[in-house]
Amino acid sequence: MNEREIRELKGLSQTEIEDRRRRFGTNRLPNKKKRGMIKIFFGVLKEPMFLLLIVCGIVYLLLGEPKDAYMLLFFVVIMMTITIAQEGKTERSLDALRDLSSPRAMVIRDTGRITVSGPELVPDDLVIVAEGERIPADGILLWGANITIDESLLTGESVPVGKIAVDAFAASDAEMAGPGGENSAYVFSGTLIASGQGVFRIRSTGAGTEMGKIGRAIESVQKESTPLQKDTKKIVLVAFILAAAMCALIAIIFGLTRGDWLGGILAGITLAMALIPEEFPVILTIFLALGARRISKKNVLARRMSAVENLGAATVLCSDKTGTITQNLMSVESLWVAGNLLKVEAQGNAPLPEEFHELIEWGILASRKDPFDPMDKAFIDLASRSALDESHAHPVWDIIREYPLSREMLSVTNVWKSSIDGGLEIASKGAPEAILDLCHLDETERAKITEAIAAMAERGMRVLGVARGSHPAKVALPPGQHDFTLRFMGLVALADPIRPKVPGAVKLCRDAGIRVIMITGDYPKTALNIAGQIGLENSANAITGAEIEAMNSAELSERIRGCNVFARIAPEQKLAIVQALKANGETVAMTGDGVNDAPALKAADIGIAMGLHGTDVAREASALVLLDDDFSSVVSSVQTGRRIFDNLKKAMSYTVSVHIPIAGMSLLPVIFQWPVIFLQPVHIVFLELLIDPACSIIFEGEPEETGIMNRPPRDKNESFFSARTVGMSLIHGFVALGLVLATWFGSKSFGFTADAQRTLAFICLVAANVAVILTNRSWSKSIFQSMKVRNVAAPWITGIVSASLILIVMTPFLRDMFHFARIPLWAALLAAGMGLTSVVWFEILKLIKSRKGVTFDCTVVSSKD
């Protein structure tokens, strides 16, 4: 097939697509990590807390207390329901992320080209592929231009193999052969286009592909353990060992001093339940999964959970210019031919002067016939608006060969077979210095053109040179563009407006202590003009790719400290920039879209691939995928990353705080041989029902702190459990414990019964728990200010807990189950008031810090707060 026939191909209609979906299903490979509800159930059942509760139930039955055993069983069911619901929500979030990150494919449907996700493909779809992309399904090649494919994933052979196309009609009857071997027409799911481009017809999708047959599942989002998850697991392991030791010790002490060994086992288990912070790994898993889903709503897909952790620590954002800072909507701004400059905008829709016709004609011939690149489209749009005759595009000519852009030659050359005399016509366009080199101009002509280039670049234009030539039809084409004899046609200046949100995003980064670096392949003067438009700091000078080549790593690390603009940069040089920044101690986020960007994306702390125009290779090397290619989306995700980390610290701090009074109320009666009237397993279970939802729902949904982007980035190695955070948590916990003890001793002095004392102490503990939730919602605002900030879960959970406590105290049946007693209203209100006052010290401290406008732990508090 020739290129014209490919352009005229008609794909499946919507009716045909639906028919194939019914017959074949979707192109979805088996997902080994996706867990069903039964697996989640048995996974939850293995948790230490549930095992301890089961043991407690057995002990209660041995003690002849079936009511307590049944009550524990009831609470186990409730806790398991909540945990399974949370796990299910996490799984659904990850499944949604996997769907988002599945391979994208450009298909021909009816007569149009659209991009769809991998699962939407059906047999007989026509798929357009190009260099750097993954093949999304098995199929037969209908057309290809210099196409080679890396099939090592299936064959183990690392050398790419060439592919040849077959006739479209023959393809419908041909049998698929296996992967491997040169000059085959068959392409396979999961393999990589190493070079060239092509169109293939899908024969098999999903489990029917070679990839599916051997059970290999490609997943873009994996539930891998992040550094923080690993640290947290270590902390939980240490706490578990400590709890086990304390459990045994308390059981022995209780048995020896009181002669009640079953009671000792029960007391030991109660203490172990109070000490084990099993919420920590749950909090991290849920926060990171839901955080990744939250970031995806900002048009940023997190492929790796570690990226969610690192986002808030980014100190440098390295961004491409075209398509990320600018809109990638190229339009021809001016034309230059033989010293004559034409401002296209001044022309309106009027016909172009004759002297500029050839420049546009050969610019179009140096572009793709069916363009997707914005620069190629700009030439065709100008021809259309200027009413140039269709013959300028030479629709009956056939392309013979393409010489692609390379690092050594920044130009593109197309060889066409003329329909008139069968001769070969050459059209080239690219970087002006490359075109000047191809045209072999003398110094006088070169100086005159260079002056025009500089004038265009200073206005922020992207400048291209255009050249033409011819070649004898019977003479073999040379291996490189430099061997052609070309004539310089002129210059084309293209305008690419900046995205409206970028200047604000750059200012936000500056306020947040994040340095923005712009990297582009454009002229330095063009780059500096754009840098000025977006308000980039240190944008008076630019470092070029040629300068980087001449520097060693130490020199680059020093120079990079004072420069934020890099021009004429080859993709491979991005890696040197990342390494220099990391050598300076920066946490680097780097954007990229091409095959050659992959090393830099992988080396960066946060690699960010372009989702709209990026290659699959770049996406696989990255931690994040920018779904809209917009720089402001990166900044929004950094802001969200800071919020996630802040809320994680609040949840962790709260968890540590509430475990202290629970553990103390379980431990102190045994040590001091007080009557065991304090916490029992049923009470701890009730508190756990409050702790888990509070950690994973209330704090995850908490809005960001005021001034979150007015503070410097955190250290990426910072732990949740810093000395200051742990210190605050300990104070919260011991103050609450002191007030609960004071409530118990006070009620004892008033002559309340043992069950009434337990009731009042428990009310105080629950009230203190709720108070810690409310005060931890914000580390800068007071509780009353926080109540004005919308958090859907907070009033529901605190309301349900309060109502449940009232119901337990007021209902005789439940009261007996909890070993409570009926108490006067004034005593209950006094006990609740004692609990609520446990956070007064923290509210006073927040007020003092707010008035001083100083940093309070992880939050910068401005004076206006």
Side-chain angles (χ1 to χ4, degrees), residues 493-716:
L494 298 114
D496 185 9
I498 63 171
R499 293 180 182 268
K501 295 180 181 179
V502 169
V506 170
K507 182 180 182 303
L508 196 62
C509 286
R510 186 163 57 248
D511 294 341
I514 301 171
R515 180 180 168 196
V516 177
I517 290 178
M518 185 177 74
I519 301 173
T520 179
D522 273 348
Y523 259 78
K525 289 185 177 181
T526 303
L528 292 173
N529 181 283
I530 297 298
Q533 291 184 48
I534 64 174
L536 209 59
E537 291 181 308
N538 301 324
S539 58
N541 296 294
I543 296 177
T544 65
E547 291 175 299
I548 290 178
E549 289 287 343
M551 296 181 200
N552 59 38
S553 57
E555 290 172 332
L556 180 57
S557 295
E558 186 59 34
R559 283 283 307 278
I560 208 170
R561 295 179 189 274
C563 182
N564 291 336
V565 180
F566 290 79
R568 277 296 187 250
I569 299 297
E572 295 86 346
Q573 292 170 331
K574 286 185 176 182
L575 178 59
I577 294 172
V578 170
Q579 291 171 335
L581 289 167
K582 293 181 75 172
N584 291 340
E586 306 283 5
T587 301
V588 184
M590 168 70 78
T591 67
D593 57 6
V595 175
N596 293 333
D597 288 333
L601 292 173
K602 198 164 187 177
D605 297 287
I606 310 167
I608 307 171
M610 300 296 103
L612 292 179
H613 300 98
T615 61
D616 285 342
V617 173
R619 284 192 284 269
E620 289 177 9
S622 67
L624 300 175
V625 176
L626 200 55
L627 300 178
D628 60 358
D629 293 5
D630 190 337
F631 175 79
S632 62
S633 296
V634 180
V635 180
S636 295
S637 66
V638 169
Q639 187 169 346
T640 303
R642 290 189 173 192
R643 166 191 170 178
I644 291 168
F645 192 86
D646 279 5
N647 289 343
L648 265 171
K649 289 195 77 172
K650 293 172 186 176
M652 295 295 190
S653 176
Y654 162 76
T655 304
V656 172
S657 299
V658 299
H659 274 276
I660 291 171
I662 296 173
M665 296 285 283
S666 304
L667 180 63
L668 292 177
V670 178
I671 293 177
F672 294 105
Q673 296 189 26
W674 296 337
V676 186
I677 65 167
F678 284 158
L679 294 186
Q680 297 177 6
V682 67
H683 305 130
I684 293 180
V685 171
F686 180 87
L687 292 170
E688 289 290 336
L689 288 173
L690 170 61
I691 293 171
D692 282 346
C695 293
S696 59
I697 300 176
I698 292 180
F699 290 115
E700 197 284 327
E702 188 63 30
E704 64 200 37
E705 293 277 2
T706 302
I708 195 171
M709 293 296 279
N710 289 323
R711 66 178 192 238
R714 64 174 176 84
D715 186 336
K716 68 178 178 181

